[in-house]
């Protein structure tokens, strides 16, 4: 059954000013858009929402989100979706929560704390990047998410936090970790370099 909503304002790309339309919703998707002047009073729907006085527009995409850990809290915040954000891109600044192991957990937690907040130890149920993606998929999310595979945790996995050029063996381990953890599901692999650290200029 189509649910028609009468909108006071519908923002469309390339339109200089808002327009008035009636939206027909079927199975959670826009099925039909009818100009208000072409509608009739005999339109029927299972539900009717009078949205006059409000603006209807596509969901926003947060291209730099730090909700990597917040989504696993018992009561995750709905602040983003209340602002119209329906998709978030996680894994920013070359640092994410996976891969992680018992030796690197405290280091990763400390690095993420400033921007991503703290997550209780029992909530860290993943080790590999694929495990992390599976944990996201099993969570109740307010929005869609895409995840970047970050170089930071991969480097820490291969050589810890030592500020030096990686050995050829360590570099090969990083390459292997990226190949193994990509799994065809990561949006991209992001590298972040601290330009204030001169030693990073020598990194391959």
């Amino acid at each position: 059954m189509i649910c028609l909503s009468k909108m006071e304002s519908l923002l469309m790309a390339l339109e200089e000013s808002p327009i008035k339309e009636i939206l027909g919703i079927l199975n959670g998707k826009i099925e039909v858009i009818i100009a208000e002047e072409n509608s009739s009073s005999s339109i029927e729907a299972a539900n009717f929402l009078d949205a006059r006085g409000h603006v209807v527009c596509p969901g926003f995409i947060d291209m730099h989100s730090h909700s990597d850990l917040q989504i696993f809290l018992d009561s995750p915040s709905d602040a983003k979706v209340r602002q119209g954000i329906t998709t978030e891109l996680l894994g920013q600044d070359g640092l994410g929560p996976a891969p992680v192991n018992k030796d690197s957990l405290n280091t990763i937690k400390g690095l993420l704390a400033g921007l991503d907040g703290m997550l209780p130890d029992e909530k860290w149920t993943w080790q590999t990047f694929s495990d992390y993606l599976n944990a996201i998929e099993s969570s109740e999310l307010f929005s869609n998410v895409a995840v970047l595979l970050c170089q930071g945790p991969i480097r820490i996995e291969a050589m810890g936090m030592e500020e030096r050029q990686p050995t050829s063996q360590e570099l090969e381990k990083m390459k292997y970790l990226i190949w193994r953890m990509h799994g065809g599901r990561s949006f991209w692999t992001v590298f972040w370099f601290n330009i204030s650290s001169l030693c990073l200029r020598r990194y391959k």
Side-chain angles (χ1 to χ4, degrees):
M1 180 66 72
I2 295 179
C3 173
L4 293 180
S5 300
K6 190 173 184 180
M7 308 301 174
E8 179 71 20
S9 301
L10 175 64
L11 298 185
M12 302 287 287
L14 305 180
E15 291 287 346
E16 295 183 358
S17 60
I19 57 177
K20 297 180 180 180
E21 303 281 5
I22 295 177
L23 301 185
I25 311 298
L26 180 63
N27 297 325
K29 296 182 179 181
I30 296 177
E31 182 73 13
V32 64
I33 300 178
I34 306 172
E36 186 177 43
E37 60 270 20
N38 296 331
S39 65
S40 66
S41 58
S42 61
I43 292 178
E44 297 182 358
N47 300 288
F48 185 84
L49 173 65
D50 189 346
R52 285 175 293 186
H54 297 76
V55 172
V56 177
C57 65
F60 302 126
I61 300 175
D62 184 350
M63 291 295 293
H64 194 110
S65 173
H66 287 282
S67 299
D68 309 65
L69 301 178
Q70 188 269 336
I71 56 179
F72 297 106
L73 296 176
D74 292 333
S75 299
S77 173
D78 61 354
K80 292 284 187 75
V81 73
R82 286 182 176 273
Q83 297 176 70
I85 295 172
T86 57
T87 300
E88 299 183 58
L89 183 59
L90 310 181
Q92 300 296 334
D93 304 320
L95 185 63
V100 66
N101 55 45
K102 60 182 180 61
D103 297 322
S104 63
L105 177 59
N106 288 333
T107 299
I108 297 294
K109 287 175 62 177
L111 292 171
L112 290 175
L115 291 173
D116 290 8
M118 298 293 292
L119 192 67
D121 288 350
E122 62 271 16
K123 295 287 188 179
W124 289 77
T125 59
W126 59 87
Q127 289 188 336
T128 68
F129 185 74
S130 293
D131 291 340
Y132 177 67
L133 295 182
N134 291 333
I136 291 177
E137 290 177 353
S138 62
S139 301
E140 294 184 4
L141 302 176
F142 287 109
S143 62
N144 304 307
V145 297
V147 187
L148 298 168
L149 173 58
C150 300
Q151 186 265 350
I154 293 173
R155 181 182 183 275
I156 294 172
E157 179 93 359
M159 56 181 293
M161 291 290 290
E162 297 185 38
E163 293 191 12
R164 58 171 174 78
Q165 190 171 359
T167 66
S168 57
Q169 184 177 9
E170 290 167 340
L171 193 59
E172 287 301 315
K173 184 175 181 179
M174 293 185 209
K175 290 162 63 176
Y176 169 74
L177 289 172
I178 291 174
W179 173 82
R180 187 187 71 178
M181 295 179 187
H182 191 281
R185 297 196 296 174
S186 174
F187 186 75
W188 196 249
T189 304
V190 60
F191 295 82
W192 176 77
F193 298 96
N194 183 353
I195 59 175
S196 65
S197 182
L198 298 180
C199 67
L200 292 181
R201 293 185 303 175
R202 301 192 301 271
Y203 285 7
K204 294 181 181 179

